[in-house]
Amino acid sequence: MSQRTLVLLKPDAVRRGLIGEIIGRFEKKAGWTIRALELRELDRPLLEQHYAEHVGRPFYEPLVEFMSSGPSVALVVEGERVIEGVRALAGPTDPIAATPGSIRGDFGTIVRENLIHASDSEESAERELKIFFPDFS
Ligand code: IDP
Ligand code: MG
């Protein structure tokens, strides 16, 4: 089942020079392809849309602040079961709990600065792809 997912390499990943390292992991998965790729600053209105489900949570404001602290890389990855697959490569939200070998497990220590966002379901992917790549079909 081929799918598309929205991936963000967060400002910490970009600042730390990990773009190539992380994207390389997607490229190496058999049959997955990068369909769109953009380095961009994410402004508050866009982040409010993207993180709408988290409004009001204690981590929300610092999250939006962090996510607008420098450029991110937004990309569309396409391929077999890519939504579940990228979440598995990323590891769980808390990088200390993430298995070594996963992106968060290999590079992260801080829950907020956990390097990567990846859509968590087909519904989220559809919604998020429209926010970040409205002209892409
Ligand atoms: P996910 O990115 O693994 O799907 P979500 O629960 O959707 O995790 O949270 C969105 C983002 O908000 C996380 O990736 C992380 O950057 C941040 N976040 C989530 N929970 C916490 C927390 O308890 N403290 C600080 N930041 C958090
Ligand atoms: Mg999430």
Side-chain angles (χ1 to χ4, degrees), residues 3-130:
Q3 301 175 321
R4 285 177 186 165
T5 193
L6 185 273
V7 176
L8 302 175
L9 309 186
K10 296 182 177 184
D12 57 330
V14 174
R15 270 196 288 273
R16 291 172 57 197
L18 293 170
I19 298 171
E21 166 70 44
I22 296 171
I23 291 180
R25 295 182 181 209
F26 307 143
E27 286 192 297
K28 287 175 195 136
K29 288 289 274 189
W32 287 7
T33 53
I34 311 298
R35 293 297 308 276
L37 176 69
E38 187 180 25
L39 179 79
R40 63 188 276 195
E41 305 254 358
L42 309 181
D43 62 21
R44 202 176 165 99
L46 182 124
L47 288 165
E48 283 175 355
Q49 243 188 308
H50 176 62
Y51 282 127
E53 65 174 313
H54 296 310
V55 172
R57 304 224 166 111
F59 63 81
Y60 177 76
E61 279 301 329
L63 173 64
V64 169
E65 191 75 11
F66 161 61
M67 289 297 292
S68 51
S69 68
S72 291
V73 171
L75 58 155
V76 181
V77 189
E78 183 176 277
E80 181 69 18
R81 294 172 64 200
V82 72
I83 296 171
E84 179 188 352
V86 175
R87 294 283 293 189
L89 286 185
T93 311
D94 175 358
I96 295 292
T99 312
S102 67
I103 293 161
R104 286 165 169 171
D106 282 350
F107 304 118
T109 48
I110 302 168
V111 176
R112 179 162 49 247
E113 301 185 17
N114 60 1
L115 301 132
I116 180 169
H117 165 86
S119 307
D120 64 9
S121 64
E122 285 187 51
E123 298 68 42
S124 302
E126 195 183 330
R127 189 183 75 84
E128 294 170 1
L129 288 167
K130 274 198 207 117

